[in-house]
Structure formats: structure tokens, C-alpha cells
Amino acid sequence: MSTTTNSPTADELRSRAASIRGRNLQMVQAAGLGHPGGDLSAADIVTTLYFSVLNVDPENPEAPGRDRYIQSKGHASGVLYTALAQRGFIPEALLDEYMAEGSPLNGHPDRNKVAGVETNTGPLGHGMPVAVGCALAAKLDGASWRTYVLTGDGELQEGSNWEAFMSAAHYDLDNLVVIVDRNRLQQGARTEDTNGLDPLDDKLAAFGWAVREIDGNSVDELLDTFAAVPFVPGKPSAIIANTKKGRGVSFMEDRVEWHHKVPTPEQVEQALTELSA
Amino acid sequence: MSDLYDCREAFQRTLVELAADDERIVAVVNDSTGSSKLGAFGKAYPDRLINVGIAEQNMVGVGAGLANGGKVPFVSAASPFLTGRALEQIKADVAYSNTNVKLCGQSPGLAYGELGPTHHSIEDLAWMRAIANLTVVVPADPIETEQVIRWAASTVGPVFIRISRMPVPAVHDDDYVFEPGVATRLRDGSDVTLVTCGVLVSRALEAADRLAEEGISARVLNVPTIRPLDRDALLAAATETGGIVTAEEATVHGGLGGAVAELLSTEHPTPMRILGVPGVFAPTGSTDALLTRFGLTAEGMAGAARDLVQARVAA
Ligand SMILES: Cc1ncc(C[n+]2csc(CCOP(=O)(O)OP(=O)(O)O)c2C)c(N)n1
Ligand SMILES: [Mg+2]
């Protein structure tokens, strides 16, 4: 069972997620670049994982028995870096250097520069196969650590994911969990208007996964769902996390342009006000 | 300061124009309508903009199938994903199958500087150049971009076109006509030749100006076609100027510099300097900062040229 030493309450996780969202937006504004929409849709998932679910240790980020968190949607580096900083993996001050010249905080995460990052992502559709490899390694060793992978939903249009989904079921990887950030938007349009994914639950089930669909912006539902892993012994677990892109900031929510639009300082102020309400 | 242009604008404008007279022209994208600047194309010809979603292998294969069905597909995506992710589709479905697909690699080189090495497309020239039966073109400015798109649309066969995002000044006159496999001599010179393509051409012209002030006469060759290479122009430059500096917004391994070195080392060994990204994953930073870091500037090219000329004097 994966736990951290002192599990925060759901309320504490909610305020942690709000703090991560705010810091994340400040970083994007300062850098003049970033992917705030996909950062914010995933903020509750990433917060719940890092502050309640993952058995990881900032003092020993490469401990062999740690849980692996693989963020396949590498463009949402803002939320990942903020969570890593608030969880103690990297100095909080480093966040000021997001995408600055020579900074370790590239627009897409680099495991050789940033403690806690497991694999370098950015091109979509790479996390799932790597996660299958991690989970297989744990099985081969009879080890109890788990692998969690977060993908975008548009990202699932990449065929590599489905090759990996098949492998995971074939090898009975019930130590593997995929969370699909189902915000229904990709870079330029809605997923269902681009290359539709529905019925996603049936597809994943047909590929041999045990599937649950939840509100991915609800800390309570996330906690309950992670506690139920593996959903079915012998099967990999898929969480379709229904989210809103830009979640938590009224003018960003569910708007495609915030995929990579950068907020003005005034917009960040407004966002911070909304987030602290 | 002269006006600066984003070559993607010339790309999309030309494609919209051509599509009006040629119904076979279609565009195929990977959720990249915006980054390819194809919004206007999609408005004008909604049925002819095919967005397969985030699926580059599918995108290139679909392009090959469209060509098989008589269409002229312009397959357009960020160059790192088009060339990296769909490399085998490009080799097997496009080049080897000899299908009439126009691969358009957008925002190549260091255009996505801050986004990191996954998004730096510095290997694309080497990868594309290694594939048989694939013409590889790197336009230098909007005029050349328009010319190349017109040529590609009217010529049957596979082509890769690398379309830059970094704003550049025009280096060609309005009456310039692109010919595949032909380099253009933008500046005459007798002491050394600067050989370049794409966004670095204007910087090479600036380098030649600086060198002229020091009494060094530098020839500037724009080599838009990396494959097939303009052998005659390069052999003439080697023979007549005795030293070659190549510069490209790409790794030093296997691109323009590699192509020139392969030619000259076997046919007319000539002292060379090859400028580019020196076989490393670049740090994060703006495009300009990275170009400066790797000496892909007027001063960087002038320095390499000076070096060659001084080495010859010393010898
Ligand atoms: C292989 C690849 N193709 C294209 C891109 C460009 N890109 C970056 S993010 C993105 C959209 C991602 O949409 P989704 O997976 O739904 O992520 P989210 O909505 O969570 O931001 C695209 C097309 C990329 N990074 N990698
Ligand atoms: Mg999405």
C-alpha cells in the first residue's frame, strides 16, 4: 500500500491544490510561456498523488522502492514543477527560473536536471510504454511499488498508448495505474471534434483494463479511487478523470485558447483572488 | 533594420492560393492547424484540411494514401514530431513507395528554444537527408518559401520542406525563382565561402560585410536544397576560394555541413569549419540565445572564416 508518512486531510489537499495553481500561473506569466490550461486541469490529480498517494521521498528521490509517477503530458510541466517544489524535491525559488536561459526547468521535464522526474516527456504518447516497463520491472522483482502515469486525453490519439495498453493487460500489470486527464480539449479544438475518443471507458475495458470514471477535480473522489487500486486483481487500473481545462479560474475554464495562452499580471491577480475564495 | 518575416505566413498564403486552382491540394495536420498557420486554409477549404489529431505516424500514412488516391497532400506538423515520430512512415510510405507527399516541417531547429530538447528539431536535416528519393529543402525567407511551395505543388514526388518560424529578413529579390538542387551565390568572394541555408542566410550576409571591412572577401552561398546538393556550386567555391564555412540551425552531424564534407572530402579536399549545434542536447533558452551560444551568428561565422583564412596564411 502506498502512503506518505503523514496523510493530509481532503481539505488540506484542496488548499494545497489551490496554492499550486496560483504559483503555477505566476510562473507561466513570468516565463511568458507555458500550458496553463492543462496544468490546471491536472492540479488536483497531481496534488493528491504527491501529497497523499505516492510513496516518494524528496530526501532520497531515487530510492529503488519508490512509487513511480510518470507525467506523460510533459507540456504540463508547470504543475509538475510546482508540486515537486512544494513537496520538497526542488527549491521553491527555482520556480522563478521556469524556462529561463540555462534553467533546469525546461518547458518539458528533464530527469537529468530535476529530482523526482522519472522520464523525459514532451512528445506526446511516450509515458505509457515507459510506465509499462517500470511496472514490469517491479513484477520481475516481486516488489510492491506502483507506477502511476498521467496522460492527456488528446494524447491518447497517439497509437503508442494503445500498444502499451495491450502490453499492460497482457502482463497482468495490476501495479500500474493510468489517469487520463479527460478535459475534452486538446491544442486546437475539442477532442471529440478532432479525433473522437468516446466511448473511452469501453475502449480501455476492451483492452483489458479495469476502468473507473470519476470527477478528476474532486479530491474526495480521487482519494477514494486511488485507495481502491487495483480495481480488479490481475488487471491494470484506468481512471478516466473528468476534468475541466483551466479548472479553478473562471475565465480559463473549458476554453481552448488557454492551452498555451499566457495570462497578464492582472489576470494572474484575478486568478489568485478566485483561487483563495 | 529591414522588415522581418515568419516564413509560415508565406507557406500558408501560397497554399491557399494554389488550392484555389488545384482541387487536388489538401493539407494534413496533427492538431497543428494553429502552429502551421493553416486556419485560413481550413476556412477556405474545410473538407480539404484533414486533422488526424495527435497522431503523426497516422498523419504521414494518411498523406501517402491521399496521394495514392490522386491528391497532393501537404502534411504539416512541428518538425520534431513529423520527422522524429513518423520517420519510418516517411521512409517507407513516402520516399520508398515514391508517393507524391509534401512533408512540411514547421518551427524547426531551435524555434522552440525554451521548450527544451524534445522540441528542438536539430536532427531533422540529418534524418531526412539519409533517406533515398527524398528532396530536402530549407527555404531562407518568405520569397523562397513561396517559390518552394509552388515548385513542390507542381512537381510529382516526395519532398521535405523545412519552414522556419523565427522572423527573418528577405534575402532574395522578388523575381527570384527556386530551382531544386541549385544554390544561389548571394555575394561574390574569393578568400572563403560561407555556405548556409534557412534562417542563417541573412546572418551569413552580415558576416560577409564584417569580413569585407577586414579585407577578407567572402562568398555567400545559399544552399536551399540539402539533397540533392549543388555539386557544381560547391566544387567551384572550394576551388576558387579554398575554404568553406558551413552553418546550419541543426546538429553538426549529418546535415548541410555533413553533406558538403562528404562531397569535398572525396572530390576536392578543402579546409572546412562546420557550425551548428555541437552534438549536444541544448539547454533551455530563447532561440536567439541558443543561436548565439552555438556561434550561429554573423560574428560566429565571421570568426570561423577568419580562422580558415589565417590558417592558410600561416601554412
Ligand atoms: C508527438 C507530439 N505531437 C504534438 C505535440 C504538440 N502538442 C503539445 S500539447 C498538445 C495537445 C495535448 O492535448 P491533451 O493531451 O488533451 O492535453 P491537455 O488537454 O491535458 O493539455 C499538442 C498537440 C506534442 N507535444 N507531441
Ligand atoms: Mg486534453
Side-chain angles (χ1 to χ4, degrees), chain B residues 257-279:
Chain B
V260 173
E262 285 164 18
L263 172 73
L264 296 186
S265 64
T266 48
E267 305 212 2
H268 189 93
T270 305
M272 279 185 72
R273 294 285 183 277
I274 298 177
L275 302 184
V277 181

Side-chain angles (χ1 to χ4, degrees), chain A residues 35 37-39 41-42 73 75-76 108 122-126 151-158 181-188 191 197 243 245 259-260, chain B residues 30-32 35 53-56 78 81-82 85 119:
Chain A
H35 293 88
D39 284 334
S41 66
K73 42 175 281 188
H75 58 283
H108 298 81
L124 296 163
H126 283 246
T151 73
D153 51 358
E155 179 176 11
L156 295 188
Q157 292 157 351
E158 291 285 1
D181 185 353
R182 186 74 172 111
N183 57 31
R184 297 192 167 262
L185 286 171
Q186 49 194 94
Q187 181 167 272
T191 57
L197 296 162
T243 58
K245 213 157 171 168
H259 175 72
H260 51 202
Chain B
N30 66 331
D31 192 14
S32 52
S35 52
I54 310 167
E56 295 73 21
F81 311 131
L82 169 65
R85 193 54 157 276
H119 287 56

